[in-house]
Amino acid sequence: MRLQVLLVATLGLAAVVGHAGPGDDLSSPFLDVVPRTEEEAERIAVVTALTGDFSEPEPFEANPGGGATVRARSDADAFSQASGNISFERELDFKVGNGLFRKLWVSSPASTLASDGLGPLYNARSCQRCHLKDGRGHPPNGPDDDATSMFLRVSIPAPPEAPMSEIEAFLLSVRNEETARTRPDPIYGGQLQDFAVQGHPAEYRLGVSWTETEVPLAGGETASLRTPEWRAEDLGYGPLAEDAMISPRVAPQMIGLGLLEAIPAADILAAADPDDADGDGISGRAQIVWSQEHERPMLGRFGWKAGSPTIREQSASAFTGDIGISNPIFTAPWGDCTAGQPDCRAAPHGDGDEREFEIDAEALDLVTFYSRNLAVPARRDMDAPEVLRGKEVFYETGCTSCHTPKHVTHRLADQPEQSFQLIWPHTDLLLHDMGEGLADNRPEGRADGQEWRTPPLWGIGLTPQVNGHSTYLHDGRARSLLEAVLWHGGEAQAARDRVVDLSPEDRAALIRYLESL
């Protein structure tokens, strides 16, 4: 709440609650937010309140994406469908955006002028290569398995005398406290790329080793957790900086992003409790980032630490960092190549006289539209007795303290698919301390080395069907949903311990509920 008050004082009330002119909402670049009436606010408070009745599903629970929900398919395309309420005309844009999302980029110079500009350093040749079937990535399963859907972020601590970014100065001025400040590695930049075009060395090869630990559970059961040790091996441009911090990231699933973007910032900020004023042990914090596109502080929503404010900016960042493609937001034609890699910067690029950027604004908008409208599948088996019991266990153990079940989105005249929908993403989109076990010890924006954004849970039970694996968390260390729960620490330690103490039947019911989402 204190952050919300400070944002109001610094940016104006409209920047927080969206009650002013076009584009003033802190949450997004929406130009047509319709303010809620008091009557609507009261209705929304009732419909989003936590239930205490677990005898049957709640009204509309079958449709986690509201009107945008689609039938749950039984094949690998379950995450690749357009919003269920999309018009025929707008579905054409979705399909064109899908083509651009799947498009394979090639190195310059090339005869395919609309597709050249790859790299010179890159992690994948297309968006689809990381987000296979629009689902989640996985860590390498052995020495012969590649890491295409995963990479390492890298940064170094900034010296105390380093100039602050606009957002850092803003946070210092309103909170009167130090913020974690980092800088890219002087040679390797902000993330490590494991591929390069011909004539250039790749930056590294991802290495990992695992240590198994057995965890006893009530009822005589046990589980095994694997702890990773991540390494940047075969470095192509010399050693990393001595104080370099690395953080592994798997590609997250893509469904429901437009609906998450449409949750009012005021609702998210209202749930923040950075000082744990209510004493429940949960102290979610809002991630506030500097938007490169809109040149102002905005609420971070996307990425494992909520480092991007909008789908468009997240997409543009992935184009430049993952594929090396310049765009209207991140304009460098060489992607993540640094001044310490002069040959990379001097290599041929895909921009020039015929086009300003390697992907232009229209194409970026189509990719954004596609990402915004990847639909959430309908719930499965939600009225099964074991699933209903699992839901009750989910609520009783305190999981809803961070995995907020329901939200209602903005009214958006030009985005009918996301407009005024009751959705069930099971996230508060806030940063939470998840303990030392999950810590990457690398700050990002306001997030410290132990904080992560609460990930949405919708569709999580379809991961094996879509992607052929069942690995979870930011680095894929968890090989099952139970393992993912058992890795929870910090603010979630008490909830995790309650799960350990459950009877085997209730623990199985909890997992069954998660699989139904």
Side-chain angles (χ1 to χ4, degrees):
M1 181 60 67
R2 182 170 59 145
L3 176 60
Q4 182 173 358
V5 172
L6 291 168
L7 285 169
V8 169
T10 306
L11 300 177
L13 180 63
V16 177
V17 299
H19 283 358
D24 283 336
D25 183 10
L26 176 72
S27 67
S28 71
F30 298 142
L31 300 179
D32 61 343
V33 173
V34 179
R36 291 174 177 172
T37 65
E38 290 186 10
E39 180 183 358
E40 281 182 340
E42 292 174 358
R43 288 167 47 208
I44 289 169
V46 171
V47 79
T48 57
L50 295 179
T51 185
D53 180 4
F54 303 98
S55 62
E56 60 182 0
E58 296 175 70
F60 311 111
E61 190 174 358
N63 297 319
T69 306
V70 293
R71 175 181 61 87
R73 296 171 62 111
S74 58
D75 59 19
D77 292 324
F79 289 170
S80 300
Q81 308 307 305
S83 297
N85 53 358
I86 199 169
S87 68
F88 177 81
E89 293 78 12
R90 287 166 71 85
E91 188 172 5
L92 177 60
D93 287 341
F94 176 86
K95 291 178 177 178
V96 175
N98 184 20
L100 292 167
F101 192 83
R102 299 166 61 93
K103 171 175 159 178
L104 292 174
W105 294 84
V106 299
S107 59
S108 300
S111 59
T112 55
L113 294 181
S115 300
D116 71 330
L118 176 69
L121 302 172
Y122 62 96
N123 296 106
R125 291 181 57 198
S126 73
C127 307
Q128 177 81 0
R129 288 287 179 90
C130 285
H131 301 278
L132 184 63
K133 291 292 184 179
D134 306 296
R136 69 182 64 228
H138 64 86
N141 292 318
D144 297 327
D145 189 15
D146 66 38
T148 301
S149 60
M150 185 174 190
F151 62 77
L152 293 178
R153 291 213 184 278
V154 60
S155 56
I156 61 173
E161 67 276 8
M164 292 180 291
S165 69
E166 294 95 332
I167 185 62
E168 289 165 340
F170 162 75
L171 290 170
L172 269 179
S173 68
V174 298
R175 292 187 64 89
N176 191 30
E177 66 183 22
E178 288 297 325
T179 58
R181 289 180 293 164
T182 61
R183 295 290 181 268
D185 183 277
I187 301 298
Y188 288 92
Q191 75 184 55
L192 295 171
Q193 285 86 19
D194 51 354
F195 293 101
V197 301
Q198 187 173 4
H200 296 266
E203 288 189 319
Y204 86 120
R205 180 175 59 85
L206 179 63
V208 61
S209 55
W210 304 93
T211 302
E212 294 278 348
T213 304
E214 189 171 274
V215 179
L217 306 173
E221 296 183 339
T222 61
S224 182
L225 302 184
R226 58 175 186 172
T227 302
E229 180 186 345
W230 300 101
R231 299 181 299 275
E233 300 178 340
D234 299 338
L235 291 164
Y237 297 84
L240 292 167
E242 185 176 349
D243 50 357
M245 302 171 285
I246 60 173
S247 179
R249 305 291 172 85
V250 297
Q253 65 184 31
M254 298 284 293
I255 58 173
L257 297 184
L259 296 167
L260 296 177
E261 188 177 48
I263 299 172
D267 293 357
I268 298 169
L269 292 169
D273 185 16
D275 301 317
D276 191 19
D278 60 7
D280 67 352
I282 306 299
S283 51
R285 298 200 302 153
Q287 172 73 290
I288 308 298
V289 299
W290 185 258
S291 170
Q292 297 295 323
E293 180 179 15
H294 299 285
E295 297 185 340
R296 55 174 170 151
M298 294 180 71
L299 178 69
R301 298 173 187 251
F302 303 106
W304 288 103
K305 296 205 177 200
S308 290
T310 66
I311 298 171
R312 191 171 192 265
E313 194 155 331
Q314 172 72 14
S315 299
S317 176
F319 268 114
T320 190
D322 301 352
I323 314 178
I325 299 298
S326 64
N327 56 76
I329 300 177
F330 299 96
T331 59
W334 46 73
D336 194 42
C337 297
T338 69
Q341 298 166 320
D343 290 345
C344 179
R345 290 197 170 191
H349 303 294
D351 58 353
D353 296 336
E354 296 189 29
R355 53 181 175 158
E356 185 178 3
F357 306 112
E358 291 162 338
I359 185 169
D360 61 19
E362 181 181 10
L364 180 60
D365 287 343
L366 286 165
V367 171
T368 302
F369 184 81
Y370 171 74
S371 301
R372 182 176 287 144
N373 281 286
L374 282 164
V376 180
R379 288 281 305 280
R380 287 87 50 214
D381 304 323
M382 65 176 187
D383 56 351
E386 188 180 27
V387 171
L388 288 170
R389 174 55 186 157
K391 179 181 177 180
E392 186 174 11
V393 172
F394 186 86
Y395 282 55
E396 288 177 342
T397 53
C399 299
T400 57
S401 296
C402 301
H403 290 283
T404 306
K406 296 174 280 185
H407 297 272
V408 173
T409 62
H410 272 307
R411 286 192 184 274
L412 300 168
D414 67 344
Q415 289 182 207
E417 300 85 6
Q418 290 82 42
S419 181
F420 208 58
Q421 299 295 321
L422 171 63
I423 61 173
W424 306 66
H426 289 80
T427 176
D428 59 8
L429 293 178
L430 295 173
L431 299 170
H432 292 278
D433 180 350
M434 295 301 294
E436 294 183 3
L438 286 178
D440 65 351
N441 299 310
R442 176 186 175 272
E444 181 178 330
R446 298 187 70 230
D448 65 28
Q450 293 190 179
E451 288 181 308
W452 302 92
R453 182 208 66 167
T454 306
L457 297 181
W458 47 19
I460 196 167
L462 293 173
T463 299
Q465 173 185 310
V466 172
N467 294 118
H469 66 78
S470 55
T471 59
Y472 307 98
L473 302 177
H474 67 281
D475 58 3
R477 68 177 66 189
R479 294 160 296 188
S480 68
L481 292 172
L482 177 59
E483 285 187 30
V485 172
L486 295 177
W487 271 110
H488 284 49
E491 297 173 41
Q493 184 70 44
R496 176 262 186 202
D497 291 346
R498 293 186 194 108
V499 172
V500 169
D501 292 337
L502 290 172
S503 68
E505 294 76 18
D506 279 349
R507 204 160 39 240
L510 173 64
I511 299 306
R512 186 77 178 83
Y513 171 67
L514 295 175
E515 291 173 343
S516 78
L517 295 178

